Amino acid sequence: MSGSTTPTVTADSPVAEEFKSKVGNDAIRIQNSSISNEISNAFKNEKEKKEHVASRHSDSKNETGQDSYEFVEWDEGEAAKYVNNHSYIHIIPKTCLYSLPRSPCNFSTFKKWTIVLIVGQGALCATVCSSIIAMTYEAVELEFGISPQVATLGVTLFIFGLGLGPLFLGPLSEFYGRAPIYIWSYFFFVLFNIPVALAKNVETWLIGRFLSGFSGAAFLSVAGGSVSDLFRGPKLSLPMSVFSACPFLGPVVGPIIGGFINQHVSWRWTWYVQIIWTAVELALLIFFVPETYSPVLLKRKAQRLRKETGNERLRAPLELDERTILQATLFSCTVPFQLVAAEPMALVLNIWTSLLLGILYMFFSAFPIVFTAHGFNLEQKGLTFIGIGVGIIIATAVNPLFSHQVARRAERRNAELPPAERTPPPPEDHLLKGLYGAVICPLALFWFAFTTYPSVHWVVPIIASVPFGFGMVLAYSSTFTFLVDAYRPYAASALAANSFMRSALAGAFPLFTVQMYHSLGTQWASALCAFLLLAIAPFPDAPQKASKFNSIKGTNSY
């Protein structure tokens, strides 16, 4: 046996059929240790076929009484001609993981929403940190003797850190779990904000900004995976909308808080307040946010069963991957780029949302220019961002209407089907509300652009920013939900790719905003961004068109 080449055993092989007849199981996958390093590719190629088979039988009981997945080693003599001594049979019992009492999907509603709000607050805190610096520019320039362009690097480097962080933290969360990533990343987020607060030179200040951005990046990719761990199907839309609003409400809240602080006390108090907030958030993560990632939960159960039973043959799928931490990290960092390269739908949505975030961060330099002409002080300039915040809150509040729309479409689609054959809404249905955002955002920018004249009352451009915030949340909520639903179990990697592209543009826009507004004027500089959004307005409809085309061909993109 050891010297022969053994064929790969599949679920359709005779030995698999024989085993299924013995255990009465209709969902089985056999994995050979020689391909254990390619688990991710196996999941991607199968399109979660086995998970869906198990889900359809979630109301049944496993004949053996087991309440979870279990790995069983073949007896050496029985399976010698099929698999080697280190192969495992992956039995997916009729009781799916998501029907278990301790499954994240079966947490109480209160517990689920507590987790969503805590991780959402983590994203809010991290993104507040990205924009609050805009209100410290004048004081930092005076103290360090730097130019406005160098001061702007404070936000650019932080955003670049936010973009790079998910490439490591997002995929690692799929390997080691969500909770450890949250706790350690936020610990370093607190730590690296300290040199920003105590910096005696601009070099320390800028390095601290980049490292704090990198550390706080987990909540821009991993948190979306946590939300998808807790909710499924139509129920995913509302919590994902709430989470999606947090990282975009954060940049709006940042200048408001920063304006009040820097109008009355030293700029260093901006970071003292931030450190206190992040320390409280870290405590909440430690005590109230459990692990929710299924493969890690199965690994823990396998470890517990081995200890209780003494059966060392029991294994979880995650334990079959024999790569080192470095190998896993380097391999996982390529997944987001592979996903974008292989999935045009993900690419066009990432381009669309990247431009939107770039324009949002452009506003942190543009609004002070626009409202200086109205004689606003630092505190008042910060308050001008309330309009965008109001739009974000309204969009989050009306999200149930869009969720109901998706549910009704699913009901009409399944109306004539028996219960066993009914399917959840396709991922592209989540993009319906994004179509509204694609139209509203450029119209709002045109409105804002041509009401920035000093002769127009200052409240008019602020009102114009309300629909921009509204449309932006519709765009991001629909995109995040689509990516999570379409690319399971690579939700964190899909969001990491989106975060990287968004951060690249968001970090670049502030570097040329001041020059652009001085060269083109506030009207045409803003109108230029509106024309760009108008040009890519059809992008969120691309998955719908692709889905219809694939249905005609009899294929499926996801």
Side-chain angles (χ1 to χ4, degrees), residues 18-45:
E18 179 183 356
F19 190 85
K20 284 188 287 185
S21 66
K22 292 179 180 179
V23 300
N25 216 315
D26 62 353
I28 182 170
R29 181 168 69 245
I30 303 176
Q31 293 178 320
N32 188 285
S33 64
S34 64
I35 60 168
S36 63
N37 289 344
E38 302 299 328
I39 290 176
S40 58
N41 291 333
F43 274 112
K44 184 175 182 179
N45 293 335

Side-chain angles (χ1 to χ4, degrees), residues 241-291:
S241 180
V242 172
F243 163 72
S244 300
C246 291
F248 301 102
L249 193 60
V252 175
V253 173
I256 298 174
I257 298 174
F260 278 104
I261 294 174
N262 289 274
Q263 184 69 30
H264 301 287
V265 294
S266 166
W267 64 271
R268 296 183 186 273
W269 270 100
T270 305
W271 309 114
Y272 298 152
V273 171
Q274 187 77 47
I275 291 169
I276 294 170
W277 185 3
T278 53
V280 172
E281 173 67 17
L282 178 60
L284 292 175
L285 290 169
I286 293 173
F287 293 108
F288 297 104
V289 177
E291 182 58 64

